[in-house]
């Protein structure tokens, strides 16, 4: 198995692509940078953790990924309030980040049983 086969990685990579495309032309450079970085960090940390040698390391990086889900949600609420993202898109991404967070938690519980 490879991280690319994990549904949670595939979905988080898809979310990052959607966020990047949506904000591609945004002139709010600070928000654009932060929101795209937090979206990208979800799948990146899943991948990096997967490639680590120990279950403890893997869980640590999954924890970072879960934190990025919360960071992305926070930034989406702000982007919504200032009119940088429409309500439907924000709600969709917020819900997806919640689902990803749950999936990451479940994966962490599974990995913790490896030791």
């Amino acid at each position: 198995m490879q991280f690319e086969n994990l549904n949670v990685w595939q979905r988080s990579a898809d979310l990052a692509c959607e966020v990047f495309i949506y904000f591609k032309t945004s002139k709010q450079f600070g928000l654009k940078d932060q929101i795209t970085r937090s979206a990208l960090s979800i799948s990146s940390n899943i991948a990096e953790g997967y490639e680590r040698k120990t279950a403890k390391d893997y869980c640590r990086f999954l924890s970072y990924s879960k934190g990025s889900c919360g960071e992305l949600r926070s930034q989406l609420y702000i982007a919504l309030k200032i009119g940088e993202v429409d309500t439907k898109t924000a709600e969709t991404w917020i819900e997806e980040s919640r689902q990803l967070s749950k999936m990451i938690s479940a994966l962490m519980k599974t990995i913790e049983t490896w030791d």
Side-chain angles (χ1 to χ4, degrees):
M1 180 134 183
Q2 298 175 326
F3 70 81
E4 294 95 329
N5 299 103
L6 295 171
N7 187 38
V8 68
W9 180 85
Q10 293 168 357
R11 285 176 59 174
S12 61
D14 288 344
L15 177 59
C17 291
E18 290 176 24
V19 170
F20 266 83
I21 290 166
Y22 189 94
F23 283 95
K24 191 174 185 176
T25 60
S26 174
K27 303 239 188 289
Q28 297 294 330
F29 297 109
L31 177 65
K32 175 183 176 177
D33 181 58
Q34 283 294 114
I35 206 164
T36 55
R37 288 164 63 92
S38 63
L40 182 61
S41 181
I42 300 168
S43 60
S44 296
N45 280 304
I46 292 168
E48 186 169 355
Y50 187 91
E51 296 293 332
R52 296 290 172 148
K53 293 192 183 283
T54 67
K56 184 178 178 180
D57 279 344
Y58 192 5
C59 282
R60 182 167 40 94
F61 279 88
L62 289 175
S63 177
Y64 300 154
S65 182
K66 192 170 172 5
S68 294
C69 288
E71 183 180 6
L72 177 60
R73 279 197 309 278
S74 175
Q75 293 161 354
L76 286 169
Y77 289 123
I78 292 165
L80 181 60
K81 283 186 176 187
I82 65 171
E84 278 297 303
V85 65
D86 64 86
T87 302
K88 184 177 186 229
T89 300
E91 288 174 352
T92 299
W93 290 345
I94 287 167
E95 181 55 30
E96 181 65 359
S97 71
R98 282 190 180 123
Q99 292 302 313
L100 291 169
S101 185
K102 289 177 185 177
M103 293 170 76
I104 293 165
S105 289
L107 182 55
M108 289 170 74
K109 286 180 183 173
T110 299
I111 293 166
E112 288 168 353
T113 65
W114 292 355
D115 288 333

